[in-house]
Amino acid sequence: MDLTQGTLKEKNERAKKMMLWFGLIALFMSFAGLTSAVIISRTRPDWSKELELPQVFLISVFVILASSITYILAQLALKSGNRESTTVFLLISFLLGVVFIFLQFQGFNALIDSGYYFTGETSDPKASFIFLIAFFHLLHVAVGLICLLVVIYNHFKQKYTPDNMLGMELAGTFWHFIDILWLFLYLLMYFIG
C-alpha cells in the first residue's frame, strides 16, 4: 500500500494509527526491559522463593480482560447504530478499569501486610519488582482511563458514528494493549518470579 495515496482524512487516520503503534512499541520495549531484569535477577541468592502473588492480582486479570470485552461490545454496538448499548458498555469498561486500580492497591496492601515492601530492610528484589511492575502498569491503566473518559465524552457529544470511529478505535487499541500486557505481567510474576 502506498501511504501517500488516499484522501487527506485517510492519510490523517493512518498517521494517527501509526503514531499510536510507535508509542505501543516503545511501551512494549520498556516492559521487555523489566521482564529481562526479572529473569536475570531471579538467580540472585536474596530472591524470595516463598513470596507468592496476592490472590487479588489474579482477580484483577479477569476484571481487566472483562473490560476489554465490554469495550469490544461497545464498538460493535456503535457499528450497529445502537447508541444506548454503546453508552452502557463504555461505562462498564470504565468502571471495570476503576475496579482494576482498586484491586491493584489491594494487592499492594496484601504484600505490605505480608511484610514485603518496595524498599528498605524487609524488601527483597522479587517484592521490589512486583511493586515496580504493577505500579508502572497501573500508571498506564490510569492513562487508559483518561482515554476512556475522552471516548465517553465524545460519544455523548455524538462525535462517533458507524463510519467515523477513529478515536474510539485508537483508545480501544491502547486499552486492549494494556489489558493483554497485564495478563503477560501476571503470568511472568507468577511463573518466573
Side-chain angles (χ1 to χ4, degrees):
M1 168 190 243
D2 185 0
L3 296 178
T4 61
Q5 298 291 319
T7 66
L8 184 60
K9 181 183 176 199
E10 291 170 338
K11 290 178 189 178
N12 191 23
E13 287 180 2
R14 280 196 304 266
K16 289 178 180 179
K17 288 178 182 179
M18 191 174 295
M19 290 299 293
L20 174 64
W21 281 106
F22 285 144
L24 293 179
I25 290 168
L27 182 59
F28 173 79
M29 295 304 293
S30 299
F31 280 99
L34 284 171
T35 299
S36 63
V38 167
I39 292 170
I40 291 169
S41 296
R42 72 186 180 114
T43 61
R44 292 175 47 151
D46 59 344
W47 189 266
S48 176
K49 303 286 187 226
E50 65 276 351
L51 172 59
E52 293 183 17
L53 286 176
Q55 193 70 18
V56 71
F57 282 148
L58 176 60
I59 296 167
S60 71
V61 168
F62 293 109
V63 168
I64 201 79
L65 291 176
S67 74
S68 263
I69 292 168
T70 56
Y71 197 89
I72 291 169
L73 293 173
Q75 288 178 301
L76 292 173
L78 184 61
K79 283 182 184 176
S80 68
N82 188 341
R83 296 194 62 78
E84 294 83 22
S85 292
T86 304
T87 302
V88 169
F89 288 128
L90 284 174
L91 292 173
I92 291 171
S93 297
F94 181 80
L95 290 174
L96 288 170
V98 171
V99 169
F100 176 84
I101 289 178
F102 174 77
L103 292 173
Q104 293 299 98
F105 281 107
Q106 292 294 334
F108 295 151
N109 287 336
L111 286 169
I112 292 168
D113 290 344
S114 298
Y116 294 100
Y117 296 89
F118 178 62
T119 61
E121 294 177 11
T122 59
S123 72
D124 68 16
K126 183 176 180 179
S128 295
F129 272 117
I130 291 171
F131 277 108
L132 179 68
I133 288 171
F135 186 74
F136 191 44
H137 180 265
L138 191 63
L139 291 176
H140 291 88
V141 171
V143 170
L145 286 175
I146 292 169
C147 292
L148 286 178
L149 282 175
V150 170
V151 167
I152 291 167
Y153 174 80
N154 286 335
H155 173 66
F156 283 126
K157 290 288 190 180
Q158 298 188 7
K159 180 178 179 180
Y160 305 123
T161 64
D163 298 326
N164 182 18
M165 297 178 51
L166 180 65
M168 194 171 193
E169 290 172 1
L170 294 174
T173 300
F174 181 76
W175 190 250
H176 300 317
F177 178 83
I178 59 173
D179 293 356
I180 293 168
L181 181 62
W182 179 248
L183 174 63
F184 165 76
L185 293 172
Y186 176 81
L187 293 173
L188 170 77
M189 293 184 294
Y190 184 82
F191 289 111
I192 294 179

